Amino acid sequence: MMQFVSTRENSPAVALSDALLAGLAPDGGLYVPADFPEFSVEDFEGLETVPEIGARLLAPFFAGDVLEGELAAICEEALDFEIPLKDLDEDTAILELFHGPTAAFKDVGARFLASCLSRLGRGGDKPLTILVATSGDTGGAVAAAFYGKPNIEVQVLYPKGKVSARQEHQLTCWGGNVRAFAVSGVFDDCQRMVKEAFADAWWQENKRLSSANSINIGRVLPQMIYYAAASLWSFREHGVAADFVIPTGNLGNALACMWARRVGLPIGEIHLAANANRPIVDFVNGADWQVMASVQTLASAMDVGNPSNLERVRALYPAVADLRAAVTAASVDDATIEGVIRASVGMYGEVFCPHTAVAVHVREGLSGSGNRIVVATAHPAKFESIVEPLIGRGVEIPPALEALFERSTACVEIEGTLAALTAAQ
Ligand SMILES: *Cc1c(COP(=O)(O)O)cnc(C)c1O
């Protein structure tokens, strides 16, 4: 049976399902696999689709868990949208992770976790309650992923008036098993209310609480799947391992690539592409670790001064020298992001979102030739106010996103206290 241990090494090892239900380990650390399986390319022979490759890849991580027998079904259900690998130029391809319901790569992790938790919610006398505090984007992906799932109810808390109109729409357009609360206050109030609920007697007695935040290992493991699939497709075509260039904020996406390489997938170099938030870049390039307050950039989903998954990266490479040998990292400023978005229309015939543009620029700076894959994390239509003025035309909204904007919305306005949330139950 695969066990999961805390990065802080002060919690008991647990089965996968327990790690999924808990989110954070009791010692405040993040769950990681106690050990890693070893694969070779041949282990995936005959497997072509993302769900097939995913089921083979994650089988050792699900071994002995109550969800073991459902892994294939979970992969099929969660990964039911396209993840194309498209050629960009002669030695670079782009892995488009934005064809899911909210047009960003977080759909992969959120949908996989939803499929797992909905199965773990079966058989109780009440549904699992997922409480999420969001400053905008994550809440939308989580709401979309859990909408309509049996045995689950979702309550999304967001700061009233402090998210964009499109973001608010994505939080409030669900109904059914998803309720949205517009909280008088700021994001930190929402987060505090969620934390208080977990410690509150009434909530413990009346709800089965669980969390879906980005540090849940159920969001990282499935992200390995697209690295496995893309590296295998590419290896079968070119006969060499692919290097990946990854837009990086909290390091969850990049960590999944490191784990995929660790288990034996044909992955060569890993290049972290950060915006002006550069602690990880400086650290990889030799400076001491230093947390910074985050600065606002055009690639806003990567505005992170203290990446939460660094703990997992450090657990994978306990010696700093090994981490520095394992990846490269570069920082890209806003002016360069704008330049890349503008130039790429002519150069590649592509419109990139600001996050993807960061990685495209880092790719362009790599010397020599190779088999390179740039990871595209969001559809440009999600960032139309940045992208459209730069390219001088509109960006077509993908059908999935368009469908969301056509749904009607509803939310409940509450004060920023747990008592107000409890009264609304
Ligand atoms: C969250 C996000 C990122 C950063 O991913 P991490 O896993 O936090 O490093 C990059 N691009 C987009 C569009 C995102 O939503």
Side-chain angles (χ1 to χ4, degrees):
M1 180 177 116
M2 173 70 82
Q3 298 214 298
F4 293 83
V5 295
S6 167
T7 46
R8 301 196 184 165
E9 299 178 347
N10 222 345
S11 298
V14 297
L16 175 64
S17 291
D18 296 323
L20 296 179
L21 285 166
L24 209 62
D27 62 2
L30 309 187
Y31 281 113
V32 293
D35 50 317
F36 286 92
E38 286 278 344
F39 287 102
S40 65
V41 168
E42 291 73 40
D43 292 325
F44 295 90
E45 225 161 69
L47 305 182
E48 189 57 42
T49 68
V50 172
E52 282 171 354
I53 291 170
R56 173 67 56 87
L57 174 74
L58 295 189
F61 298 95
F62 277 63
D65 190 71
V66 293
L67 290 176
E68 181 174 17
E70 315 217 33
L71 173 60
I74 290 168
C75 288
E76 298 244 328
E77 185 178 290
L79 300 161
D80 66 344
F81 52 89
E82 241 197 308
I83 301 188
L85 182 64
K86 304 196 327 199
D87 284 340
L88 206 57
D89 60 28
E90 65 267 26
D91 67 358
T92 306
I94 187 142
L95 182 64
E96 292 186 351
L97 302 178
F98 54 69
H99 296 280
T102 69
F105 87 95
K106 291 189 178 73
D107 284 329
V108 172
R111 288 178 63 75
F112 191 91
L113 182 61
S115 289
C116 291
L117 288 183
S118 140
R119 285 166 171 80
L120 293 175
R122 272 192 307 238
D125 56 349
K126 40 190 179 268
L128 277 181
T129 298
I130 308 287
L131 273 186
V132 234
T134 185
S135 54
D137 262 347
T138 305
V142 168
F146 285 84
Y147 173 67
K149 286 270 180 282
N151 318 311
I152 297 262
E153 67 165 17
V154 177
Q155 306 195 17
V156 182
L157 280 63
Y158 68 94
K160 184 179 153 199
K162 304 218 164 48
V163 302
S164 78
R166 280 194 176 182
Q167 282 175 332
E168 182 164 33
H169 196 105
Q170 287 183 47
L171 297 171
T172 55
C173 71
W174 300 103
N177 65 330
V178 178
R179 285 209 288 164
F181 293 95
V183 174
S184 302
V186 294
F187 170 67
D188 288 340
D189 296 309
C190 301
Q191 203 159 38
R192 175 182 41 77
M193 291 160 70
V194 169
K195 279 200 186 133
E196 285 173 2
F198 274 85
D200 182 84
W202 185 90
W203 282 79
Q204 286 187 348
E205 199 170 305
N206 292 281
K207 302 276 185 183
R208 290 166 72 203
L209 277 180
S210 194
S211 83
N213 57 20
S214 63
I215 48 81
N216 195 306
I217 192 164
R219 291 180 51 171
V220 183
L221 288 174
Q223 292 173 179
M224 294 171 71
I225 297 173
Y226 47 75
Y227 289 108
S231 68
L232 289 164
W233 296 334
S234 183
F235 187 79
R236 288 169 188 165
E237 190 183 338
H238 302 289
V240 287
D243 304 332
F244 283 88
V245 189
I246 306 169
T248 293
N250 262 321
L251 281 168
N253 203 1
L255 172 76
C257 188
M258 296 175 209
W259 282 0
R261 184 171 65 180
R262 168 62 61 97
V263 302
L265 273 306
I267 295 170
E269 294 168 9
I270 297 174
H271 304 286
L272 312 181
N275 58 24
N277 292 276
R278 47 180 309 134
I280 186 65
V281 177
D282 293 338
F283 184 56
V284 166
N285 288 305
D288 288 340
W289 175 249
Q290 197 161 19
V291 170
M292 274 172 30
S294 65
V295 296
Q296 260 190 12
T297 76
L298 296 175
S300 53
M302 292 155 45
D303 292 348
V304 179
N306 188 12
S308 51
N309 276 298
L310 183 67
E311 265 190 68
R312 286 186 169 122
V313 173
R314 297 297 305 268
L316 187 65
Y317 301 109
V320 178
D322 291 340
L323 167 61
R324 289 179 176 150
V327 300
T328 77
S331 161
V332 176
D333 63 23
D334 275 358
T336 308
I337 292 173
E338 292 181 329
V340 169
I341 293 172
R342 231 185 261 119
S344 294
V345 177
M347 197 136 86
Y348 308 111
E350 293 280 343
V351 180
F352 296 122
C353 88
H355 313 80
T356 307
V358 170
V360 169
H361 179 74
V362 170
R363 152 66 195 99
E364 287 167 351
L366 295 179
S367 58
S369 59
N371 175 23
R372 269 103 185 218
I373 297 177
V374 170
V375 176
T377 49
H379 192 286
K382 288 198 87 162
F383 302 93
E384 83 292 349
S385 61
I386 297 166
V387 171
E388 290 179 347
L390 290 170
I391 63 169
R393 63 171 168 87
V395 179
E396 206 177 316
I397 300 177
L401 218 49
E402 185 79 69
L404 291 195
F405 293 137
E406 277 160 18
R407 298 173 69 102
S408 61
T409 62
C411 70
V412 178
E413 295 188 14
I414 60 171
E415 293 300 313
T417 63
L418 181 63
L421 184 64
T422 308
Q425 299 300 305

